[in-house]
Short mmCIF file of all heavy atoms in Angstrom, two decimals:
data_model
loop_
_atom_site.label_atom_id
_atom_site.label_comp_id
_atom_site.label_asym_id
_atom_site.label_seq_id
_atom_site.Cartn_x
_atom_site.Cartn_y
_atom_site.Cartn_z
N ILE A 1 6.39 12.54 26.46
CA ILE A 1 5.83 11.70 27.52
C ILE A 1 4.95 12.59 28.39
O ILE A 1 5.40 13.64 28.86
CB ILE A 1 6.93 11.05 28.36
CG1 ILE A 1 7.81 10.17 27.47
CG2 ILE A 1 6.33 10.23 29.50
CD1 ILE A 1 9.08 9.71 28.12
N VAL A 2 3.71 12.18 28.55
CA VAL A 2 2.76 12.93 29.37
C VAL A 2 2.21 11.97 30.42
O VAL A 2 1.52 11.00 30.07
CB VAL A 2 1.61 13.51 28.51
CG1 VAL A 2 0.60 14.22 29.39
CG2 VAL A 2 2.15 14.43 27.42
N GLN A 3 2.56 12.22 31.67
CA GLN A 3 2.10 11.39 32.80
C GLN A 3 2.22 9.89 32.51
O GLN A 3 1.23 9.16 32.53
CB GLN A 3 0.67 11.76 33.19
CG GLN A 3 0.56 13.15 33.75
CD GLN A 3 -0.82 13.42 34.33
OE1 GLN A 3 -1.67 12.54 34.42
NE2 GLN A 3 -1.04 14.66 34.73
N ASP A 4 3.40 9.45 32.21
CA ASP A 4 3.72 8.04 31.97
C ASP A 4 3.20 7.49 30.64
O ASP A 4 3.30 6.29 30.39
CB ASP A 4 3.22 7.13 33.10
CG ASP A 4 3.88 7.43 34.43
OD1 ASP A 4 5.07 7.82 34.42
OD2 ASP A 4 3.23 7.25 35.47
N TYR A 5 2.63 8.33 29.79
CA TYR A 5 2.19 7.87 28.48
C TYR A 5 3.12 8.40 27.41
O TYR A 5 3.39 9.60 27.32
CB TYR A 5 0.74 8.28 28.20
CG TYR A 5 -0.21 7.52 29.08
CD1 TYR A 5 -0.65 8.05 30.28
CD2 TYR A 5 -0.61 6.23 28.73
CE1 TYR A 5 -1.49 7.33 31.11
CE2 TYR A 5 -1.44 5.50 29.57
CZ TYR A 5 -1.88 6.06 30.75
OH TYR A 5 -2.69 5.33 31.58
N PHE A 6 3.61 7.49 26.58
CA PHE A 6 4.59 7.78 25.54
C PHE A 6 3.87 8.01 24.22
O PHE A 6 2.94 7.27 23.88
CB PHE A 6 5.54 6.58 25.41
CG PHE A 6 6.58 6.74 24.35
CD1 PHE A 6 7.78 7.36 24.62
CD2 PHE A 6 6.37 6.23 23.07
CE1 PHE A 6 8.75 7.49 23.65
CE2 PHE A 6 7.33 6.36 22.09
CZ PHE A 6 8.53 6.98 22.38
N ASN A 7 4.30 9.03 23.48
CA ASN A 7 3.74 9.32 22.16
C ASN A 7 4.89 9.71 21.24
O ASN A 7 5.67 10.60 21.57
CB ASN A 7 2.72 10.45 22.26
CG ASN A 7 2.05 10.72 20.93
OD1 ASN A 7 1.91 9.84 20.10
ND2 ASN A 7 1.65 11.96 20.72
N MET A 8 5.01 9.03 20.11
CA MET A 8 6.06 9.35 19.15
C MET A 8 5.47 9.36 17.74
O MET A 8 4.61 8.54 17.41
CB MET A 8 7.19 8.31 19.21
CG MET A 8 8.30 8.56 18.20
SD MET A 8 9.77 7.53 18.47
CE MET A 8 9.14 5.89 18.13
N MET A 9 5.94 10.30 16.95
CA MET A 9 5.56 10.36 15.55
C MET A 9 6.83 10.47 14.73
O MET A 9 7.71 11.26 15.06
CB MET A 9 4.65 11.57 15.28
CG MET A 9 4.18 11.66 13.87
SD MET A 9 2.96 12.99 13.75
CE MET A 9 2.68 12.98 12.01
N MET A 10 6.92 9.66 13.71
CA MET A 10 8.09 9.66 12.84
C MET A 10 7.65 9.80 11.40
O MET A 10 6.61 9.27 11.00
CB MET A 10 8.86 8.33 12.95
CG MET A 10 9.24 7.93 14.34
SD MET A 10 9.90 6.26 14.39
CE MET A 10 11.60 6.59 14.03
N VAL A 11 8.45 10.51 10.62
CA VAL A 11 8.29 10.53 9.17
C VAL A 11 9.54 9.83 8.64
O VAL A 11 10.67 10.22 8.96
CB VAL A 11 8.20 11.96 8.61
CG1 VAL A 11 8.06 11.93 7.10
CG2 VAL A 11 7.03 12.72 9.24
N VAL A 12 9.33 8.77 7.87
CA VAL A 12 10.45 7.99 7.37
C VAL A 12 10.38 7.86 5.86
O VAL A 12 9.32 8.01 5.26
CB VAL A 12 10.49 6.58 8.03
CG1 VAL A 12 10.58 6.69 9.54
CG2 VAL A 12 9.31 5.73 7.62
N ASP A 13 11.54 7.59 5.27
CA ASP A 13 11.63 7.33 3.83
C ASP A 13 11.97 5.86 3.65
O ASP A 13 13.05 5.42 4.04
CB ASP A 13 12.71 8.22 3.21
CG ASP A 13 12.91 7.95 1.72
OD1 ASP A 13 12.10 7.22 1.12
OD2 ASP A 13 13.91 8.47 1.18
N ALA A 14 11.05 5.12 3.06
CA ALA A 14 11.25 3.68 2.87
C ALA A 14 11.64 3.33 1.44
O ALA A 14 11.60 2.17 1.05
CB ALA A 14 9.99 2.93 3.28
N SER A 15 12.05 4.32 0.65
CA SER A 15 12.36 4.03 -0.75
C SER A 15 13.57 3.11 -0.90
O SER A 15 13.69 2.41 -1.90
CB SER A 15 12.56 5.32 -1.55
OG SER A 15 13.57 6.12 -0.99
N GLY A 16 14.47 3.06 0.07
CA GLY A 16 15.62 2.16 0.00
C GLY A 16 15.44 0.89 0.80
O GLY A 16 16.37 0.09 0.95
N SER A 17 14.24 0.68 1.33
CA SER A 17 13.99 -0.45 2.21
C SER A 17 14.03 -1.78 1.47
O SER A 17 13.68 -1.87 0.29
CB SER A 17 12.61 -0.29 2.88
OG SER A 17 12.35 -1.38 3.71
N ASP A 18 14.41 -2.83 2.21
CA ASP A 18 14.42 -4.17 1.64
C ASP A 18 13.13 -4.94 1.95
O ASP A 18 13.04 -6.12 1.68
CB ASP A 18 15.65 -4.95 2.12
CG ASP A 18 15.73 -5.08 3.63
OD1 ASP A 18 14.81 -4.63 4.33
OD2 ASP A 18 16.74 -5.64 4.12
N VAL A 19 12.14 -4.26 2.55
CA VAL A 19 10.83 -4.85 2.78
C VAL A 19 9.75 -3.92 2.23
O VAL A 19 9.95 -2.71 2.17
CB VAL A 19 10.56 -5.11 4.29
CG1 VAL A 19 11.51 -6.16 4.83
CG2 VAL A 19 10.65 -3.85 5.11
N ASP A 20 8.63 -4.48 1.83
CA ASP A 20 7.55 -3.64 1.32
C ASP A 20 6.73 -3.06 2.48
O ASP A 20 6.93 -3.41 3.64
CB ASP A 20 6.66 -4.40 0.33
CG ASP A 20 5.88 -5.55 0.94
OD1 ASP A 20 5.76 -5.62 2.19
OD2 ASP A 20 5.36 -6.39 0.17
N PHE A 21 5.80 -2.17 2.15
CA PHE A 21 5.03 -1.46 3.16
C PHE A 21 4.26 -2.44 4.06
O PHE A 21 4.24 -2.27 5.28
CB PHE A 21 4.05 -0.46 2.52
CG PHE A 21 3.14 0.16 3.53
CD1 PHE A 21 3.58 1.21 4.32
CD2 PHE A 21 1.85 -0.32 3.72
CE1 PHE A 21 2.75 1.78 5.28
CE2 PHE A 21 1.01 0.24 4.67
CZ PHE A 21 1.46 1.29 5.45
N ASP A 22 3.61 -3.42 3.47
CA ASP A 22 2.80 -4.35 4.26
C ASP A 22 3.65 -5.11 5.27
O ASP A 22 3.25 -5.29 6.43
CB ASP A 22 2.04 -5.31 3.35
CG ASP A 22 0.95 -4.62 2.55
OD1 ASP A 22 0.43 -3.58 3.02
OD2 ASP A 22 0.62 -5.10 1.45
N ALA A 23 4.82 -5.58 4.85
CA ALA A 23 5.71 -6.31 5.75
C ALA A 23 6.22 -5.40 6.86
O ALA A 23 6.29 -5.80 8.03
CB ALA A 23 6.88 -6.91 4.97
N LEU A 24 6.55 -4.16 6.51
CA LEU A 24 7.03 -3.19 7.49
C LEU A 24 5.95 -2.90 8.52
O LEU A 24 6.19 -2.94 9.72
CB LEU A 24 7.46 -1.90 6.78
CG LEU A 24 7.94 -0.79 7.68
CD1 LEU A 24 9.36 -0.38 7.31
CD2 LEU A 24 7.02 0.41 7.58
N SER A 25 4.74 -2.65 8.06
CA SER A 25 3.62 -2.35 8.94
C SER A 25 3.33 -3.52 9.88
O SER A 25 3.12 -3.33 11.08
CB SER A 25 2.38 -2.01 8.10
OG SER A 25 1.30 -1.70 8.91
#
């Protein structure tokens, strides 16, 4: 968080997901 602005980056593994990439996005 920089002066009230939030920034997050995640690396995730969706190989076990029950939704496809387009639905997730």
Side-chain angles (χ1 to χ4, degrees):
I1 300 168
V2 178
Q3 293 189 7
D4 296 328
Y5 290 95
F6 178 87
N7 183 29
M8 178 169 66
M9 182 173 176
M10 307 171 86
V11 179
V12 302
D13 177 10
S15 58
S17 179
D18 58 4
V19 294
D20 66 16
F21 174 80
D22 291 332
L24 178 122
S25 181

